[in-house]
Amino acid sequence: MSRSVAVGSPRASGHGAASTASGGGRLRQRRRRRFAGIAVLLVVLVVSCVLSVVIGAKTIPLSDVWSGLFTPTGTENDLIIRELRVPRTVVGVLAGAALGLAGALMQGHTRNPIADPGILGITQGAALAVVLAVYTFGVTTLLGFIWFGFAGALLGALAVFAIGSLGRGGPTPVALALAGAAISHLLQAITSALVISDQQTMDTYRFWKVGSVSISDPAVIPQVLPFLAVGIVLALANASSLNALSLGDDVARSLGHRVEWARRAGIAGIAILVGGTVAICGPIGFVGLIVPHVARFFTGADYRWLLPFAGLLGASLVLLADVLGRIVARPSEVQVGVMLAMVGAPLFIALVRRRKLVRL
């Protein structure tokens, strides 16, 4: 006896309506989970900021922390809170959010699950520019590093995009990855040659290369902030195009997306976000690599949700790693770049063993 149901029959209509209602229920449930996830991440970020202000090399009572923030009287504790820990926390939030967003954009545009700032020549471009600034012009201040590092990051990304755009296929993910690898190795070789030839350049570059959110001059924050804001806007505006590009360039074009312009906007966003961060903090690894995978575990492949999750996760991760670095080596501290490498390596190994997480 056949169990099939005729299309259009009352039974089929009822079954279809039930399926539609069930699908709608799942979508609403998924949306509620994602909103709840955003709320949880905001709470985690606030807690991370509080820990970053409260915990440091010097133990400061909570009452002094409060008065230093809201009713300062010029004491030593007030200066530590306002001139050191608050700017450090702000830089950590900005750097982590920027690297998290940039990592998600890079993995989406290159369709490479292990893409990080180094794959598009951004870190190496910034490093070469900083070394040239020290070697040629004798620049030794962070304020001077910012503009050279930022310009180097942009030029590195533009060089990779220009070379990856050559040929009939345009800037395909494979072409961008290959061009990025070639340019990155070339820039790294030039940087090494310059550093080896001059002791002062080596000393300055070695300190910058460690990667730290501890800055000596808070005046650098307002200089970088507008660029990072533009990068964040470009990243979030790129979300719908990345959703279409994940289906393939031809499908994206058939859906009405301008693939080349979407890639240009994405690369520009990556260069601005990473360039600004690398210029102010030095190269900080693993954030752009790990955070998108963790965010994708909660949001799936929808970049409209993945990007905000990645930004919040990145900010919290950098702050917590920085706080941990102050605790494990008190009264000294371990720089956040080193802590992220120590924590990030085993975490990434655990992530790549879950095969579903590395599929884009």
Side-chain angles (χ1 to χ4, degrees), residues 26 28-38 309:
R26 285 196 296 271
R28 285 192 293 273
Q29 188 178 12
R30 184 183 302 174
R31 190 178 296 117
R32 282 197 295 270
R33 283 204 303 267
R34 287 169 172 172
F35 275 120
I38 291 288
F309 267 70

Side-chain angles (χ1 to χ4, degrees), residues 121-130 148-149 151-153 155-156 187:
I122 298 173
T123 302
Q124 291 77 6
L128 177 57
V130 168
F148 282 97
L155 290 175
L187 296 177

Side-chain angles (χ1 to χ4, degrees), residues 46-63:
V46 171
V47 172
S48 304
C49 290
V50 172
L51 293 175
S52 179
V53 173
V54 171
I55 298 174
K58 180 181 180 182
T59 302
I60 298 178
L62 290 178
S63 58

Side-chain angles (χ1 to χ4, degrees), residues 42-109:
L42 286 173
V43 172
V44 172
L45 180 58
V46 171
V47 172
S48 304
C49 290
V50 172
L51 293 175
S52 179
V53 173
V54 171
I55 298 174
K58 180 181 180 182
T59 302
I60 298 178
L62 290 178
S63 58
D64 286 3
V65 173
W66 181 267
S67 66
L69 288 173
F70 301 105
T71 57
T73 57
T75 63
E76 180 184 355
N77 286 344
D78 290 351
L79 292 176
I80 292 174
I81 295 296
R82 297 179 70 86
E83 302 295 330
L84 297 177
R85 294 189 187 176
V86 170
R88 185 172 185 162
T89 303
V90 173
V91 171
V93 171
L94 294 175
L99 291 175
L101 285 169
L105 285 178
M106 274 184 282
Q107 293 180 10
H109 277 289

Side-chain angles (χ1 to χ4, degrees), residues 109-163:
H109 277 289
T110 62
R111 292 184 213 161
N112 186 339
I114 58 171
D116 70 353
I119 200 170
L120 292 180
I122 298 173
T123 302
Q124 291 77 6
L128 177 57
V130 168
V131 167
L132 283 173
V134 178
Y135 185 83
T136 307
F137 302 106
V139 176
T140 56
T141 64
L142 180 61
L143 207 58
F145 288 169
I146 286 179
W147 298 106
F148 282 97
F150 196 74
L154 288 175
L155 290 175
L158 289 174
V160 169
F161 186 76
I163 295 174

Side-chain angles (χ1 to χ4, degrees), residues 173-342:
V174 174
L176 287 174
L178 292 175
I183 293 294
S184 297
H185 282 90
L186 175 62
L187 296 177
Q188 192 170 7
I190 298 173
T191 302
S192 299
L194 290 174
V195 168
I196 292 172
S197 64
D198 185 78
Q199 185 63 42
Q200 181 185 352
T201 304
M202 177 181 287
D203 292 340
T204 307
Y205 175 69
R206 186 171 53 192
F207 176 77
W208 176 82
K209 188 176 173 58
V210 170
S212 172
V213 295
S214 177
I215 58 173
S216 57
D217 187 359
V220 299
I221 295 175
Q223 295 195 29
V224 175
L225 191 58
F227 295 100
L228 294 181
V230 171
I232 291 172
V233 170
L234 280 174
L236 297 179
N238 212 218
S240 61
S241 297
L242 277 173
N243 280 345
L245 289 171
S246 65
L247 302 173
D249 290 3
D250 292 337
V251 176
R253 287 191 183 91
S254 69
L255 293 174
H257 290 271
R258 301 175 67 180
V259 173
E260 287 74 18
W261 280 105
R263 291 212 189 285
R264 289 189 178 98
I267 298 297
I270 294 167
I272 293 172
L273 290 169
V274 179
T277 304
V278 171
I280 196 172
C281 303
I284 296 178
F286 281 103
V287 180
L289 184 63
I290 294 173
V291 162
H293 288 279
V294 178
R296 198 173 289 112
F297 179 77
F298 294 102
T299 67
D302 189 344
Y303 281 88
R304 295 171 301 175
W305 290 95
L306 175 60
L307 290 172
F309 267 70
L312 292 172
L313 276 170
S316 301
L317 178 63
V318 168
L319 283 181
L320 291 175
D322 187 42
V323 171
L324 186 61
R326 300 180 215 174
I327 294 174
V328 298
R330 297 185 78 174
S332 185
E333 62 182 54
V334 179
Q335 301 298 334
V336 66
V338 178
M339 286 306 304
L340 283 168
M342 295 172 66

